[in-house]
Amino acid sequence: MKIIIDQHELEFTEGETILQIAKRNEIYIPTLCNLEDLTPYGGCRLCIVRILNDRKPFQTACSTPAIKDMEVITKDEELQEMRREVLQLILSEHPSGCLVCAHHSICEELLKEDRQKSGRVFGCFSCPKKDICELREIVEYLGINKIDYEFEYKNYPLEREDPFFDRDYNLCILCGRCIRVCNEMRGIGAINFMYRGHDTKISTGGNVLHIDSNCLFCGACVDTCPTGALSSKNTKWVKTKNNKTTSICTFCSVDCGFDYYTLEEKLMESIPSKGDLVNKGQACVIGRFCTPHFVNSKSRLKYPMIRKDDILIPCKWDEAYETIRNKLSLYNSDEIALIASPDLTNESAYLLKKFGNEVLSTPHIVQATNFIPFFTDKDQSFNDIPHTQWILLLNTNIQITHPILLIRLKQARDNGAKILSLNIGNVELPYETRNLFDIELNVPVQDATSILVAMLGTQNKLLLRDLGLKIDEKVLERYNLADFVEMRRYQRGTILMGNYVNLPPLYMNNLQKLIMRLAREGESQISCIGLWNHGNLNGVSKFIPQTLDKITEKIASGDIKAIFTTERLSNINTQKTELLIVQDMFESKFSKNADIVLPVASPTEQSGHVTNAEMQNRRLIEVAPPIGHSKPDWLVLTELARVFQLTDRFKYINSEEIYEESLDLQMESTDIDLDFKDIKKLTLEELPLNHFTLRDFTYRGQSFSHLVPNLQFLINQREGKLEEAKFNQVEKTEATEFKVVHIEEKVPNMFKLVVHAPLLANKSRPGNFAIIMTEETSERVPITLSDWDSEKGTVTFFFQERGFSTKELSEVKSGDYLHSVVGPLGNPIEIEKNKTLLLGGGCYGMGALYPVAKAAKEIGNKVIMIMEGKSKDLLYLQKEYEQLVDKVVYITSDGSYGHKGSEHGKIATGIEVVAQTENVDVAYFVGCEMMMMEASQMTEKLGIPTFVSLNTIMLDGTGMCGACRLTINENGHRITKFACVDGPVFDGHKIDWDELMKRGVQFSHKEVEVYRANACRALTKFNLKQEES
Amino acid sequence: MTEPQSKKTTRKKKVILPRHKIPEQDPFLRSKNFDEVNLGYAPEMAQAEASRCLQCPKPACREGCPVNVDIPGFIKLIIEGNFIEASHHIKETNALPAICGRVCPQETQCEGVCVLGKSSKYKPVAIGNLERFVADAERATKACYICEKDPPTGKKVAIIGSGPAGLTVAGDLIKKGHEVHIFEAFHKGGGVLVYGIPEFRLPKEIVNWEIQELLENGVEMHYNTVVGKLLTVEDLKKQNFDAIFIGIGAGLPLFMGIPGENLKGVVSANEYLTRSNLMKSYDFPNYKTPPLQGKKVVVVGGGNVAMDSARTALRLESETVTIVYRRAMEQLPARVEEVHHAQEEGVIFNLLTNPVRFIGDATGRLQEVEVLKMKLGEPDSSGRARPIPIEGSEFQIPCDLAIIAIGNNSNPLLTSTMPDLKLNKWGNIITDENGATNLPGIYAGGDIVTGAATVISAMGEARRAAKAIHEFLRK
């Protein structure tokens, strides 16, 4: 069938929408609410197109199915005008001061490297989506530079208490993508529209925190949000557009595709790749949010270490290699064991095998699990799961081991599949998973076997007889499975087998064999996929098919004297081991007992291949260089082999060469030797079930939650342990000073703080500042004193939330105590009499200038005040100033109040306005550095003496550290001054502004780390307590 | 505990053992952590070392000590196994043994004049290590030492600054029955002991303990109080303080005045160390003050502060740390042990070089430092060989963090509010040998008087000032 879009004749298939056809053919139609794989919503109305010869000429392309010979126009002036109208309405509720600001391009240039770290976003300059804003793309496409509707700031509270991501619904345009992705794609439905009409807002049921809802923190909503309303704490404040590497996440055996973003060679963010066929742009909490925390953890091993005098001492690699060679050569080859982690890459596993064979000639090369998987058939695809008609989950808890597959299960269920979960022992599955099941069974071992035989053997009675097995009808009756067995007889099915509960290896092997044999030799099409708890068990087993249980006793008895292991051996008695060499990523109790510890690179720090549960070899690409002196396993083994004089056989320079070589040697899973007679009908009581320990992923024996406090928080909450944590909150010790009397958010991001500090209230003068520490662990932050009342003994500050420390301060409550308030620092402003003063304040400057205005009026000066802000919603203290000074001039970027700022900037516009009518003697400006610079430049042109008050980075504030240095150009000389003791007020015409602004942002990257480590306030408290105990 | 040996051995027959080296962390290991480098003596080791002391009837060591600690006396107590008493004995003259044992330059003081050391055969008794040992042994008991106080005199003393000088004066005067108040600008007490000296050299827990002990003994501490700003000396007088001691140290970092000094990445040692020590940024992001970190670090200067900065940089994950100093190894003003430790840990010494300019990139971040080779000339007024630049010998050292540790001037924050106070041309307060300034009742001591010097010399002056204050108050 054909359709004509913009005069192009295009093919389409039944059911496709106009938008889908256009997209496929690269014809751009703007849209904000549409998303591939989700049902059309038609919410934003921007994809409106003209349909020729139709009763209704204007229809939304996303929700209109194509009809044969339909003629569509996607872009003409009338359509664009309609779209502009729609977009303006959207923008009237989305802070868009920057989009329509005349000064936009200059500001953009000056602030391109850094993002203002304010709490509430009031323009693109502080928006987390600054680099990749879909809204802005459409604004540019439609060419909007003014908004006819009055902007309304909704003033919803910021939602930042949850782990991993923040929400600012003041930016939300109600496109509903997050709701649909959560509900339709993920099947969770944690969020929905709340309230009606104008008050509509996205929220969890009952408006609770996400952590108290059924949200799984997969981040799908964050990645689909077209605005900055939802933002990941990992990179909220950092530019990540550059330095992207597409690789895979190897922490479970699904191996999802990810786009990894780095900054200064450090992994910052991982976002699921849209184009990847395995996960299709979806992820779980581990892959999406925890990876950067995990791989950058402080407990990473960074140096090789050798035990000397019973202490592990860091050393150089060469020394470590030499020591290993010397020590290993003391042992016979059968006294040495090599143990492979099931998380190694294929290359490393292959090389470990080769190292064992050729260098050490040891027979003991094993992988660190107790069974060899051979369950998965070749070329099974996760993509087939949704099209299967029944699914049997055997010994799995996929929400913990393979969370991303929940999506496939949900799709299968939506397509009408029946799902049976069969677990051995008493396994408690999470609610979200259980929701998907038709039947959920927890059975003893012998029943499990009977059920499987009954289910799978119905068509193959001959085979059953060969094996000496019988169908036990009673079991089916007891568990009410007759329907399921019936259904299984005729239709396509999938069996997903896991090792969630640690069953005896012999039993696991027999189970695998039995199922595969029955599944293969039956008439139905049954796919078998193994979902093992380890990232690359399939891959490692191809090279090393021997298991650890074969040598456990030899280790315990001391027959094996030296162990070289790449995995922690938690359940093995190594007391008699004489030499223990451990290759690991993290410090652990196990590595503390080792004789030699070798640090290895994380999966994101190396290239290679892993084999996923579909038996596909997935390619891993190095995203960032290895941390410290760590190296990938294959490189360590290569270099070590060279020390053993085997340079010729180990001359690899990259993992690719090893991969080529290893392909020839992969073990093919040959026909299964079915020996089922050993099956032991163990009862549940006899089974060593240790599934209760598995709460999240482990990588090489290291559990994620131990290194990612946010994840720990989440798990504790889900397990109902958080109450305890809340109860354990650290009480602030009673202090006599610095009690917070009052705190309020005057306008977005701008806080008024009143603190009890009687001595300070007595001594403060206009121009002074104080240094505040919120808690014992806080930074020292200089803040201008705005008012003081010596009778009440209080001082008042106005501060803007512009980073972590001010965020922390903004979260104090009345009645709390601040750790420290030191002042009055800096020199007071000297104001002369009988002058006309011009004051100009932006952001915190409006508050900071108040005492100056008051003092100037007290001695009888004429005072003119300029107040500037992005929009009217950011102006405060208007009434106070109007009562106090002679004239107030207002300037806004969007023209929502007073004058609209020109392309020279708001403050320059204000000065021009004032200078037209007034003869100004002296001017004072307080605000951000850019504003003060622009003000100084303008007054220099007009010949007005100008002073500005600087707010630089400070530590002590008494001239002791010099962090606050700036350069003053005085008569052709460059003089260094300290803002804290020489200022904070300086002649604006003499400051080296360029240097000042560059110095001001020197720690902005560091601040990102603080934010992501401490953003969750409840969590901070929780951790403090934990450290103490 | 071993049998005390000295009782039986007479001085003539005494067998002198070699000096016991204090156990240290391995250099490579310790250069990655902030734990203390010296691990301290075990009791047996301490007793063995103590038994080396000749118990001279006229001890030179005691004279060599700026605060005249009865060194043979406390060593005798160690030999007898009375460690706690030994510590109390030191505290009669020196309130801060745990600190002095760690940071005093003993090689030029007590140990420098030890009779044993005079012989070429022997090394002096490790007095510093023994002092530290007894103080640590006492602290381990977790019982504060409450000193015997004279009856209350009704006099009030204000001490400005809680550094080594201030704490010493407080410790001495509280014993004499005066009411003592310390005013501290920071949120933590200890002055240079907490913001300057790194954790691995002097664990902050020790400073906190010593301050806690003073508080238990009745000293009152006023944190977050910048005298000169929040309170003036006039205000203190109005609050009926009878005497005032100024011990505010030398807190105004010197820069070189060369181009590029305000680039991002060029910092004073004060800022560098304050971030790491006082604000604990080495534990970032648990502590929120960002650390200054560089891959290639250059430290300019050769004093103790330069060594502290260089060794801190090693611990904050830098790849190379280079000390640039304009004179030669022999002229390095730092404590020998610190230079030795720095070398062991892998600090590179680029001696006889002097920075001439810092070069940055377009974003204003430091890229490299240009230095000039020097040679040594005739001694200058300080008695040290004068470094002379070698023309045309410029070369660049790549670096992304340069720490300027060339010293401190006195900070005028307080003195500028006291117009009648006599200062010398460097802004230091002029006092007599007892710490009395030209203003009655106002005393001063430590770096604000001498210019930047050592902890113990500040404490020595403080002792004399305390004595003078006590005399003054008795009148």
Side-chain angles (χ1 to χ4, degrees), chain A residues 49-299:
Chain A
V49 289
R50 185 193 294 276
I51 298 171
L52 299 179
N53 312 319
D54 195 285
R55 193 165 49 87
K56 279 177 11 192
F58 297 111
Q59 294 190 27
T60 46
C62 68
S63 55
T64 310
I67 299 170
K68 196 167 169 253
D69 299 329
M70 191 185 234
E71 250 185 86
V72 179
I73 304 291
T74 66
K75 189 178 175 183
D76 63 28
E77 202 30 54
E78 193 180 356
L79 278 171
Q80 294 292 79
E81 197 47 49
M82 288 165 83
R83 285 173 182 157
R84 273 183 212 121
E85 194 68 15
V86 170
L87 191 59
Q88 281 194 43
L89 280 168
I90 292 173
L91 290 174
S92 72
E93 289 187 352
H94 177 92
S96 44
C98 284
L99 292 175
V100 296
C101 175
H103 189 240
H104 179 75
S105 55
I106 296 171
C107 178
E108 189 90 318
E109 181 59 32
L110 280 168
L111 298 174
K112 70 179 169 210
E113 282 309 315
D114 289 283
R115 187 165 297 158
Q116 212 184 75
K117 298 180 273 289
S118 37
R120 292 174 182 274
V121 172
F122 238 83
C124 307
F125 65 103
S126 56
C127 180
K129 285 272 169 72
K130 187 183 170 194
D131 309 315
I132 35 161
C133 177
E134 288 180 47
L135 197 57
R136 206 158 109 175
E137 274 167 31
I138 296 175
V139 169
E140 276 157 23
Y141 170 74
L142 294 174
I144 289 183
N145 48 23
K146 67 173 180 45
I147 297 164
D148 294 336
Y149 303 98
E150 194 179 330
F151 165 63
E152 193 208 338
Y153 188 71
K154 296 251 178 153
N155 220 351
Y156 291 126
L158 295 180
E159 300 181 13
R160 299 187 288 192
E161 301 277 295
D162 278 314
F164 303 119
F165 61 87
D166 288 349
R167 300 176 301 279
D168 178 358
Y169 286 119
N170 298 299
L171 302 177
C172 175
I173 56 167
L174 298 172
C175 67
R177 279 191 197 175
C178 51
I179 295 174
R180 283 177 290 143
V181 82
C182 187
N183 199 11
E184 286 180 26
M185 175 78 81
R186 310 291 309 216
I188 302 298
I191 44 175
N192 213 329
F193 289 117
M194 281 266 278
Y195 313 113
R196 293 295 181 84
H198 176 265
D199 295 328
T200 309
K201 177 180 172 278
I202 288 160
S203 168
T204 53
N207 209 3
V208 294
L209 287 177
H210 277 48
I211 193 130
D212 295 322
S213 74
N214 56 337
C215 171
L216 293 182
F217 293 87
C218 67
C221 53
V222 178
D223 295 333
T224 191
C225 180
T227 70
L230 305 178
S231 55
S232 156
K233 287 187 206 276
N234 285 348
T235 42
K236 186 182 169 105
W237 284 339
V238 76
K239 188 174 171 178
T240 50
K241 206 174 173 183
N242 308 327
N243 306 324
K244 177 176 104 172
T245 312
T246 301
S247 179
I248 55 167
C249 166
T250 64
F251 294 125
C252 78
S253 59
V254 174
D255 297 341
C256 297
F258 269 89
D259 294 337
Y260 289 102
Y261 294 86
T262 56
L263 181 75
E264 291 170 353
E265 300 192 327
K266 211 169 172 186
L267 179 65
M268 298 300 284
E269 185 76 294
S270 45
I271 297 177
S273 304
K274 291 262 182 304
D276 197 280
L277 287 175
V278 168
N279 57 317
K280 298 182 175 168
Q282 297 300 314
C284 67
V285 60
I286 304 281
R288 176 66 182 85
F289 293 115
C290 300
T291 310
H293 296 260
F294 189 69
V295 302
N296 295 324
S297 160
K298 276 199 165 178
S299 48

Side-chain angles (χ1 to χ4, degrees), chain A residues 298 302-303 314 763 773 777 780 820 823-824 826 958-961 963 965 967 998-999 1003 1006 1010 1014, chain B residues 26 28-29 32 187 224 229-230 235 251 253 261-262 264 266 268 270-271 275 284-285 288 293 317 362 411:
Chain A
K298 276 199 165 178
K302 289 178 185 153
Y303 321 92
K763 286 290 173 102
M773 284 174 81
T777 55
R780 291 169 66 96
S820 159
T958 59
M960 199 265 308
C961 78
R965 306 201 294 289
T967 302
K998 281 173 180 164
R999 285 185 66 85
F1003 292 109
K1006 285 276 161 201
V1010 184
N1014 298 296
Chain B
D26 177 86
F28 193 91
L29 176 68
K32 314 297 170 206
H187 53 283
N224 302 307
K229 292 285 183 188
L230 189 66
D235 292 331
E261 222 166 358
N262 289 351
K264 284 187 279 188
V266 185
S268 74
N270 285 8
E271 176 182 353
R275 277 180 190 277
F284 182 84
K288 278 69 172 205
Q293 278 169 310
E317 296 178 14
N411 191 322

Side-chain angles (χ1 to χ4, degrees), chain A residues 737-738 757-765 768-770 785 795 821-826 958, chain B residues 183-185 222-236 239 413-414 417:
Chain A
E737 275 186 305
F738 316 139
L759 276 176
L760 186 56
N762 265 331
K763 286 290 173 102
S764 300
R765 298 290 170 266
N768 281 147
F769 65 93
L785 282 151
V795 288
V821 179
V822 191
L825 299 169
T958 59
Chain B
F183 297 89
E184 168 56 47
H222 303 266
Y223 294 111
N224 302 307
T225 308
V226 184
V227 181
K229 292 285 183 188
L230 189 66
L231 290 172
T232 59
V233 169
E234 288 308 307
D235 292 331
L236 292 177
Q239 291 180 17
L413 191 86
L414 172 64
T417 63

Side-chain angles (χ1 to χ4, degrees), chain A residues 893-906:
Chain A
S893 297
D894 59 359
S896 54
Y897 198 68
H899 302 265
K900 185 179 191 307
S902 75
E903 69 275 17
H904 305 302
K906 296 184 286 289

Side-chain angles (χ1 to χ4, degrees), chain A residues 113 264-265 298 302-305 308 311-316 629 737-738 759-761 763 768 773 776-780 804-805 808 819-828 953-967 974-978 980-981 994-995 998-1003 1006-1007 1009-1010 1013-1014 1020 1027, chain B residues 26-32 39 184-188 195 223-226 228-232 235 239 250-255 257 260-276 278-293 295 314-315 317 319 361-365 404 408 411-413:
Chain A
E113 282 309 315
E264 291 170 353
E265 300 192 327
K298 276 199 165 178
K302 289 178 185 153
Y303 321 92
M305 289 191 280
K308 281 182 192 161
I311 309 174
L312 276 173
I313 289 170
C315 65
K316 302 268 157 55
H629 294 262
E737 275 186 305
F738 316 139
L759 276 176
L760 186 56
K763 286 290 173 102
N768 281 147
M773 284 174 81
E776 200 249 327
T777 55
S778 301
E779 259 188 295
R780 291 169 66 96
F804 185 83
S805 296
E808 200 178 38
H819 184 69
S820 159
V821 179
V822 191
L825 299 169
N827 300 309
I953 295 169
M954 290 183 193
L955 275 181
D956 61 303
T958 59
M960 199 265 308
C961 78
C964 60
R965 306 201 294 289
L966 69 147
T967 302
R974 289 172 62 79
I975 302 168
T976 296
K977 294 272 184 189
F978 287 7
C980 63
V981 285
D994 180 51
E995 180 189 280
K998 281 173 180 164
R999 285 185 66 85
V1001 294
Q1002 55 182 316
F1003 292 109
K1006 285 276 161 201
E1007 208 157 0
E1009 283 178 50
V1010 184
N1014 298 296
T1020 321
E1027 269 167 35
Chain B
D26 177 86
F28 193 91
L29 176 68
R30 74 184 189 228
S31 71
K32 314 297 170 206
L39 300 170
E184 168 56 47
F186 276 129
H187 53 283
K188 253 184 239 170
Y195 75 74
Y223 294 111
N224 302 307
T225 308
V226 184
K229 292 285 183 188
L230 189 66
L231 290 172
T232 59
D235 292 331
Q239 291 180 17
L252 189 74
L254 286 171
F255 286 91
E261 222 166 358
N262 289 351
L263 286 167
K264 284 187 279 188
V266 185
V267 299
S268 74
N270 285 8
E271 176 182 353
Y272 187 71
L273 292 174
T274 304
R275 277 180 190 277
S276 175
L278 178 73
M279 307 308 290
K280 295 201 195 305
S281 67
Y282 64 82
D283 194 13
F284 182 84
N286 289 335
Y287 280 76
K288 278 69 172 205
T289 304
L292 287 155
Q293 278 169 310
K295 290 230 155 73
L314 280 178
R315 287 159 174 79
E317 296 178 14
E319 284 166 9
D361 63 9
T363 65
R365 188 163 282 286
I404 315 288
N408 276 289
N411 191 322
L413 191 86

Side-chain angles (χ1 to χ4, degrees), chain A residues 597-608:
Chain A
V597 179
L598 306 175
V600 293
S602 77
T604 55
E605 294 161 0
Q606 57 181 307
S607 296

Side-chain angles (χ1 to χ4, degrees), chain B residues 145-166:
Chain B
Y145 169 63
I146 306 293
C147 61
E148 278 176 34
K149 274 191 265 185
D150 293 348
T153 59
K155 303 280 184 181
K156 271 170 81 181
V157 184
I159 294 168
I160 307 170
S162 68

Side-chain angles (χ1 to χ4, degrees), chain A residues 829-965:
Chain A
I829 294 180
E830 286 159 25
I831 304 163
E832 288 178 51
K833 283 184 184 175
N834 302 323
K835 301 275 177 182
T836 302
L837 261 68
L838 172 63
L839 307 181
C843 51
Y844 78 93
M846 286 178 257
L849 276 169
Y850 188 69
V852 181
K854 214 157 106 180
K857 281 311 290 179
E858 270 166 19
I859 54 172
N861 287 319
K862 179 171 185 185
V863 178
I864 301 147
M865 177 75 193
I866 302 173
M867 300 177 83
E868 57 124 73
K870 286 247 161 260
S871 88
K872 67 170 195 312
D873 304 82
L874 294 176
L875 304 173
Y876 60 101
L877 291 181
Q878 294 104 307
K879 235 185 234 164
E880 285 85 344
Y881 274 113
E882 276 167 21
Q883 282 168 5
L884 180 67
V885 304
D886 300 272
K887 187 174 170 187
V888 184
V889 176
Y890 298 100
I891 316 285
T892 50
S893 297
D894 59 359
S896 54
Y897 198 68
H899 302 265
K900 185 179 191 307
S902 75
E903 69 275 17
H904 305 302
K906 296 184 286 289
I907 192 70
T909 317
I911 297 166
E912 275 175 330
V913 169
V914 173
Q916 279 164 12
T917 55
E918 302 287 342
N919 215 346
V920 177
D921 295 310
V922 62
Y924 292 93
F925 298 100
V926 186
C928 66
E929 282 154 2
M930 197 168 80
M931 170 267 195
M932 291 192 283
M933 176 183 78
E934 284 174 349
S936 302
Q937 285 163 353
M938 180 52 81
T939 53
E940 197 166 15
K941 261 190 239 165
L942 300 171
I944 304 170
T946 296
F947 295 93
V948 297
S949 177
L950 301 182
N951 213 345
T952 55
I953 295 169
M954 290 183 193
L955 275 181
D956 61 303
T958 59
M960 199 265 308
C961 78
C964 60
R965 306 201 294 289

